[in-house]
Amino acid sequence: MIGDQPSTLLDKIWNSHLVHADPGAPDLLYVDLHLLHEVTSAQAFEGLRVAGRTVRRPDLCMATVDHNIPTTDRSLPVLDSLARRQMEVLRENAQGHGIRLFDVDDERQGIVHVIGPELGLTRPGMVIVCGDSHTSTHGAFGALSFGIGTSEVEHVLATQCIPQRRPKAMEIRLEGDRPPGISAKDLILAVIGEIGVSGAVGHVVEYTGPVVGSLSMEERMTICNMSIEAGARAGMISPDPTTFEYLRDREFGPNSEEFVNLKMEWESLKTDDGATFDRSIMMDVSDLEPQVTWGTNPGMVTEISGSVPDPCRIKDEKARDSAERALEYMGLQPGTPMESINVDRVFVGSCTNGRLEDLREVARVLDGRRVHTDVHAMVVPGSTAVRRQAESEGLDRIFREAGFEWREAGCSMCIGMNPDTLSAGERCASTTNRNFEGRQGRGGRTHLVSPATAAATAVAGRLADPRSC
Amino acid sequence: MHTGVVAPLDRADIDTDQIIPKQFLKSVDRDGYGDFLFHDWRKEEGGSTNPEFVLNKEPYRGASILLAGRNFGCGSSREHAAWALRDFGFRAILAPSFADIFRENADQNGLAALSLEEDVVRELLARAYSEAPLSLTVDLEERTIADSDALLASFEIDDFRQMCLLEGLDRIGLTLRQAEAISSFEQQRWPNRSEVPPKSF
């Protein structure tokens, strides 16, 4: 409640971070945690320098290298001189401004949205920003967390605040029983398929309902991560005992004494009964099947047992044009069963699906099986800590024996800024978040899938249903 | 007020990976991205120019107004997308709708991302394709779009965005005027500076 008004989780976090409000102007919000990486920060620091400004709260910033670092042997020099320069500039900036950097040789290095939660930096009720659209991931903890551009990165560095218009609040309620073998990735792909890639523009989405409450933290992160693919400003899930348990004993998390008080605070971070959303949609997931994309945006998705759609049957003219273009780019014919589509590559990793549970799932499906001879498959853990833990559980051995490459942590082939890319015409089943044209390499054809579907596909050499493995 | 040639790009959901592919995000500068705008559409695989792409044709090479489909700029937060459009010479993007982060990035760079009714965009696209070069005048002050003969449409924009675009305000400077409010927020939040969370930061 805010006063005696029932309020949404969004309103509660917003109001508790409101530094200043002027009629007509955006609200000024305080930022609790500012995450930085090498690709979107250099120009921001340079802007500060030119204007003679400083970083207001270096203690509330955290930096790492993830976007363009190689995932091969870390003891070798980075051959791409531009990428190397970007990393050096981040190093200089972090050092010059007293910002903590988890560098390439640090055991805590990893994809920024994997290590924030892992280290206990991400907490319920925070406002978190980062120059990366998948910052929505941290909303899984009941934080308001969103991506910003480089000018805004500079703004937050200088002021620790961000001017924002209050977005609308949208509820996506997942009802029913999640069928066995259906992952969080399948849930969120189905949601995006339902509302479309601009379905949540201008809104912060709160995911609610019994299905959401039963998800692990890592599954919740997968869901919130892809909110941006529906156009949402952010995604969030109210914190509950699952959240609190996750937050215990993290390196930068609260100590046990602080924990008791914070937990009481966190328990109030929920949308009150009687509070209204600007928009609510409900989806029953009881009959959901594993999902796979067929086109060039994450909303172009179908069931693994389905077929490539026929654009002629799409009524909306713009959607039909887009589908036709997508099929041409993807090299697919309408009516082709999804399970008959052969792949050349399989990629497991990213801030969407590069966490320990994802890797365990891949290993579970793989166990004892071999990657198809025509497929080049790799696993890139989301963080160095995920890599170590996977190794201690013997998952790396399962991957290697199956024929997967086992790499160092980073964004890798999700964005393809480092040498991990697709060649023109190569088809890839990928656990990442974007199947845009050229996203994984010019001319590359991406099918977004869950970790289990990726593993089943690697074995079959074609898109495959992990439930029939 | 800006008058310029309109380049039509009749596609919905143009994502920032199309506007500027990732291999061009490795620079540490804010400019020099114009040549890479829509790179994979403008350039063939071998690097030669694709003569079919709108921005490679006359009279669009010098276009300063881009007319596009809904949800323009979806995808990543890369401000490089706005920098590339600006560096190419665009001053305004007209579309039925924009992705949130892209619009903010455009605002930050004086690039007017203006939402028009879907019907209006459809009509303008038809004209831009049939009677090239279509030249339009975008009047930010009056919030209107016109050709040389008549007023064609009006658009909505909130006063603050309009002021920022017209006056090129230093947004950080504006926030720094609230330095006292920021400090008092911090003091309230962490009465004792030594308690500042997160731990060890």
Side-chain angles (χ1 to χ4, degrees):
Chain A
M1 303 285 235
I2 296 175
D4 54 0
Q5 286 293 309
S7 320
T8 61
L9 172 58
L10 169 63
D11 282 338
K12 288 181 184 180
I13 300 178
W14 193 277
N15 291 5
S16 66
H17 289 77
L18 194 58
V19 170
H20 183 75
D22 259 337
D27 287 350
L28 195 60
L29 292 186
Y30 197 80
V31 173
D32 298 298
L33 178 64
H34 186 188
L35 307 168
L36 297 147
H37 63 85
E38 74 275 28
V39 174
T40 58
S41 65
Q43 293 89 343
F45 284 107
E46 177 62 10
L48 285 186
R49 196 189 60 76
V50 169
R53 290 172 176 147
T54 56
V55 178
R56 181 181 177 92
R57 293 296 298 266
D59 56 329
L60 301 183
C61 298
M62 181 276 274
T64 192
V65 283
D66 56 6
H67 276 62
N68 62 26
I69 52 165
T71 53
T72 45
D73 189 347
R74 287 280 160 81
S75 64
L76 299 172
V78 178
L79 294 175
D80 179 340
S81 61
L82 289 173
R84 194 171 64 229
R85 175 80 189 124
Q86 255 184 351
M87 289 186 262
E88 280 164 5
V89 168
L90 180 63
R91 244 161 246 146
E92 288 161 16
N93 285 326
Q95 199 172 19
H97 293 280
I99 291 169
R100 185 184 289 263
L101 168 69
F102 300 121
D103 209 340
V104 61
D105 55 355
D106 195 301
E107 284 293 310
R108 295 164 293 190
Q109 175 271 342
I111 304 175
V112 67
H113 310 309
V114 176
I115 67 174
E118 194 171 80
L119 291 169
L121 292 166
T122 302
R123 296 187 190 179
M126 276 185 161
V127 170
I128 301 173
V129 298
C130 173
D132 188 281
S133 60
H134 291 109
T135 308
S136 57
T137 312
H138 308 261
F141 291 79
L144 174 60
S145 186
F146 51 90
I148 57 178
T150 296
S151 294
E152 293 175 293
V153 169
E154 182 180 339
H155 201 121
V156 177
L157 287 172
T159 68
Q160 203 54 35
C161 293
I162 181 112
Q164 282 287 300
R165 295 256 173 218
R166 191 186 292 237
K168 290 182 177 150
M170 176 172 176
E171 178 188 31
I172 296 182
R173 190 171 179 82
L174 301 182
E175 291 277 5
D177 297 310
R178 172 161 65 137
I182 297 304
S183 71
K185 182 66 161 286
D186 299 313
L187 297 177
I188 189 64
L189 281 172
V191 165
I192 300 166
E194 179 73 22
I195 68 173
V197 290
S198 58
V201 167
H203 292 75
V204 167
V205 172
E206 183 180 342
Y207 300 94
T208 65
V211 177
V212 175
S214 71
L215 298 174
S216 71
M217 285 316 295
E218 297 195 1
E219 291 176 314
R220 294 179 193 190
M221 286 187 246
T222 300
I223 302 252
C224 288
N225 172 278
M226 286 192 73
S227 305
I228 181 72
E229 311 314 334
R233 197 72 190 89
M236 49 174 41
I237 293 171
S238 184
D240 63 9
T242 305
T243 322
F244 309 143
E245 250 345 278
Y246 180 98
L247 288 162
R248 277 184 204 281
D249 304 321
R250 302 270 157 188
E251 183 174 354
F252 295 98
N255 61 33
S256 49
E257 202 179 310
E258 291 167 325
F259 197 90
V260 179
N261 291 329
L262 282 170
K263 191 165 156 270
M264 276 165 56
E265 232 173 80
W266 294 340
E267 279 166 347
S268 69
L269 291 169
K270 55 179 173 30
T271 294
D272 298 319
D273 292 339
T276 52
F277 289 92
D278 297 289
R279 221 177 125 200
S280 280
I281 67 161
M282 197 277 282
M283 255 179 85
D284 192 313
V285 306
S286 304
D287 297 325
L288 211 62
E289 278 198 41
Q291 304 284 305
V292 54
T293 62
W294 51 266
T296 53
N297 74 44
M300 295 173 168
V301 65
T302 188
E303 297 170 331
I304 188 75
S305 65
S307 305
V308 175
D310 188 344
C312 294
R313 295 193 181 162
I314 300 174
K315 286 203 182 81
D316 179 272
E317 185 196 344
K318 286 277 179 287
R320 189 166 61 237
D321 287 353
S322 299
E324 280 168 0
R325 279 184 54 81
L327 291 191
E328 191 186 333
Y329 180 86
M330 293 296 288
L332 293 174
Q333 295 300 320
T336 308
M338 295 309 292
E339 288 190 81
S340 72
I341 298 170
N342 293 334
V343 303
D344 309 295
R345 307 279 298 265
V346 169
F347 177 76
V348 175
S350 84
C351 59
T352 309
N353 280 130
R355 297 182 179 80
L356 195 62
E357 288 174 13
D358 301 315
L359 271 46
R360 284 181 186 148
E361 193 58 11
V362 172
R364 182 186 65 76
V365 176
L366 281 180
D367 199 18
R369 296 188 175 87
R370 294 275 312 161
V371 170
H372 191 277
T373 47
D374 295 339
V375 175
H376 174 188
M378 60 199 268
V379 181
V380 175
S383 71
T384 301
V386 168
R387 183 180 154 92
R388 298 278 179 259
Q389 181 60 30
E391 285 173 348
S392 78
E393 295 181 15
L395 304 182
D396 61 316
R397 190 178 43 76
I398 296 172
F399 300 144
R400 285 196 178 103
E401 284 173 3
F404 268 83
E405 288 182 29
W406 174 239
R407 298 291 194 94
E408 298 284 346
C411 298
S412 180
M413 214 160 79
C414 177
I415 185 164
M417 285 191 71
N418 74 354
D420 310 339
T421 55
L422 294 181
S423 306
E426 271 191 321
R427 190 178 297 283
C428 179
S430 183
T431 67
T432 55
N433 42 57
R434 288 188 177 136
N435 49 343
F436 296 152
E437 285 182 30
R439 171 78 178 182
Q440 296 191 294
R442 184 171 181 159
R445 293 161 172 167
T446 304
H447 294 274
L448 302 178
V449 294
S450 71
T453 302
T457 298
V459 171
R462 53 172 180 77
L463 294 170
D465 187 336
R467 297 170 305 176
S468 43
C469 261
Chain B
M1 183 137 58
H2 172 77
T3 302
V5 169
V6 175
L9 194 49
D10 187 13
R11 294 179 191 180
D13 305 312
I14 294 176
D15 59 77
T16 53
D17 278 85
Q18 307 320 311
I19 300 173
I20 185 159
K22 68 260 175 180
Q23 65 267 34
F24 306 112
L25 311 185
K26 293 178 188 173
S27 164
V28 293
D29 299 319
R30 268 182 206 258
D31 45 30
Y33 298 94
D35 283 349
F36 313 128
L37 177 68
F38 297 120
H39 179 271
D40 289 3
W41 292 346
R42 266 165 84 195
K43 302 279 167 66
E44 306 279 10
E45 191 77 44
S48 60
T49 300
N50 169 12
E52 295 306 310
F53 187 64
V54 59
L55 297 183
N56 291 333
K57 292 193 245 187
E58 291 299 349
Y60 306 114
R61 286 174 207 268
S64 60
I65 299 172
L66 184 67
L67 189 59
R70 65 191 172 211
N71 197 31
F72 185 87
C74 61
S76 96
S77 64
R78 60 188 72 167
E79 195 163 322
H80 310 69
W83 295 334
L85 287 159
R86 181 202 60 192
D87 287 357
F88 181 87
F90 285 114
R91 300 282 304 279
I93 317 289
L94 310 178
S97 60
F98 295 88
D100 295 328
I101 308 178
F102 174 80
R103 183 165 48 202
E104 181 61 36
N105 286 337
D107 280 358
Q108 295 278 355
N109 289 280
L111 182 64
L114 304 172
S115 301
L116 303 180
E117 297 290 329
E118 190 128 27
D119 289 349
V120 173
V121 171
R122 194 178 304 124
E123 276 173 35
L124 289 177
L125 279 166
R127 282 188 59 186
Y129 280 116
S130 65
E131 52 184 275
L134 174 66
S135 185
L136 291 180
T137 298
V138 177
D139 189 333
L140 253 178
E141 262 173 280
E142 296 298 322
R143 307 176 189 203
T144 57
I145 310 283
D147 63 12
S148 53
D149 297 328
L151 188 70
L152 300 174
S154 56
F155 55 84
E156 287 180 19
I157 181 169
D158 75 56
D159 296 349
F160 183 81
R161 278 188 69 210
Q162 183 195 37
M163 181 181 70
C164 288
L165 283 167
L166 284 171
E167 297 178 22
L169 289 182
D170 169 15
R171 307 279 291 270
I172 298 177
L174 274 184
T175 295
L176 287 174
R177 285 191 208 160
Q178 304 304 327
E180 262 180 50
I182 302 171
S183 295
S184 81
F185 182 93
E186 287 174 329
Q187 272 157 20
Q188 234 173 353
R189 189 94 187 261
W190 301 296
N192 178 354
R193 262 303 273 236
S194 66
E195 290 173 12
V196 169
K199 188 175 77 174
S200 311
F201 254 58

